[in-house]
Amino acid sequence: MSDHLTGFRARLQAGPTAFAAWCAMREPAVAETILKEGFDCAVLDWQHGYHDQASIEAGILIAQAYRKPAMVRIGVGDFAGAARFLDWGAVGIIAPMINSAADAKALVDFLKYPPLGSRSWGPMRAMGLTGLSNGEHLERANDSSIVIAMIETREGFAALDEILAVPGLDGVFVGPSDLSIALTNGATIDPLYAEVDAAVQVIAQKTRAAGKIVSAFCPDGKRANELAKLGYTLLSVGTDGFLLRSAARAELARAKG
């Protein structure tokens, strides 16, 4: 009944690539509309999106209605809030600005139950969505929840090996725009910058060698296709706003001839 939730971590580890509807807009109907088009999951962007707690809750439930898992990209350092989103039924957390093994260990400590971490108990909504009992949820939660660290700074990229070695961390997620700013010392913002592209390939190789999930934000479908071929198994395809603007421009151009 809940394999789309409890089995999503295993799917990301083994493939095929899951393409995420990146949802920054607060209006739940936007996420609903996009998920209908065949995306594999939703990522609700709390960090830079327009969400409030009610829209995060609604987004999780909308994804569930379409038997799609929902993940949340949290704010910087908001690990306590991240645990709350897992309690609400999100299957995973993407945490920005993880710059060291210590950062990754702190993230895991909040989001995994003992012996991996010290997450507090209270997943009442999550258990309602999965249909698991207390004991079943506790037994399976560490293996089914997805805890992902964003690699988007010079420090994080340099510490990649140590971050990947943290027990309980399920994978990493490349933030290419911030990484481009960091690697060029603020000279440019370009997710397709050559130095970022080289880093993306290194991150794929090291993460896959560590047996963990490698994922990334992609500005469009073309880039997502390229990274899927490198072994990335969770990729965004633009954002809800990007897709809306792209469709609007295309149809307006057709209307004007």
Side-chain angles (χ1 to χ4, degrees):
M1 180 176 67
S2 62
D3 286 350
H4 64 292
L5 303 178
T6 58
F8 192 57
R9 177 176 175 266
R11 186 259 173 88
L12 294 184
Q13 287 180 312
T17 301
F19 296 104
W22 193 274
C23 302
M25 294 183 176
R26 185 184 296 116
E27 173 53 55
V30 175
E32 179 180 5
T33 300
I34 295 173
L35 283 172
K36 287 179 182 179
E37 298 307 313
F39 285 91
D40 298 294
C41 64
V43 175
L44 308 172
D45 188 0
W46 176 262
Q47 183 189 15
H48 291 306
Y50 304 112
H51 286 286
D52 54 25
Q53 291 192 348
S55 66
I56 293 289
E57 181 185 16
I60 293 169
L61 293 178
I62 285 168
Q64 169 69 6
Y66 287 94
R67 295 189 61 79
K68 304 288 179 70
M71 304 180 71
V72 181
R73 199 261 290 268
I74 60 170
V76 176
D78 186 17
F79 301 161
R84 186 170 175 83
F85 295 144
L86 291 180
D87 288 345
W88 290 357
V91 302
I93 297 297
I94 299 171
M97 296 293 174
I98 301 299
N99 295 327
S100 65
D103 289 346
K105 288 175 183 176
L107 174 65
V108 169
D109 190 57
F110 270 91
L111 301 187
K112 297 286 188 179
Y113 294 111
L116 293 174
S118 57
R119 178 180 165 191
S120 177
W121 179 259
M124 303 314 168
R125 169 62 66 74
M127 288 192 299
L129 296 179
T130 62
L132 299 176
S133 67
N134 283 5
E136 290 170 334
H137 183 87
L138 181 60
E139 179 181 358
R140 299 177 65 175
N142 281 352
D143 287 334
S144 59
S145 62
I146 306 166
V147 178
I148 293 182
M150 288 192 73
I151 303 299
E152 52 187 342
T153 65
R154 186 180 293 274
E155 294 80 8
F157 182 52
L160 178 62
D161 292 334
E162 291 81 6
I163 290 170
L164 289 171
V166 172
L169 186 74
D170 298 301
V172 297
F173 186 97
V174 180
S177 294
D178 278 309
L179 191 58
S180 72
I181 295 170
L183 294 180
T184 63
N185 294 315
T188 189
I189 177 169
D190 180 2
L192 304 179
Y193 191 73
E195 197 170 352
V196 173
D197 194 58
V200 160
Q201 297 185 50
V202 170
I203 292 168
Q205 293 164 0
K206 289 190 172 185
T207 305
R208 286 172 59 82
K212 298 196 174 185
I213 297 163
V214 60
S215 53
F217 180 89
C218 296
D220 54 33
K222 180 177 182 293
R223 184 58 168 168
N225 179 267
E226 293 169 354
L227 295 196
K229 292 175 180 177
L230 289 178
Y232 281 74
T233 57
L234 175 64
L235 297 166
S236 69
V237 182
T239 67
D240 49 6
F242 166 79
L243 296 174
L244 181 59
R245 292 192 304 272
S246 296
R249 281 196 301 268
E251 291 306 313
L252 186 57
R254 289 177 64 187
K256 292 181 176 181

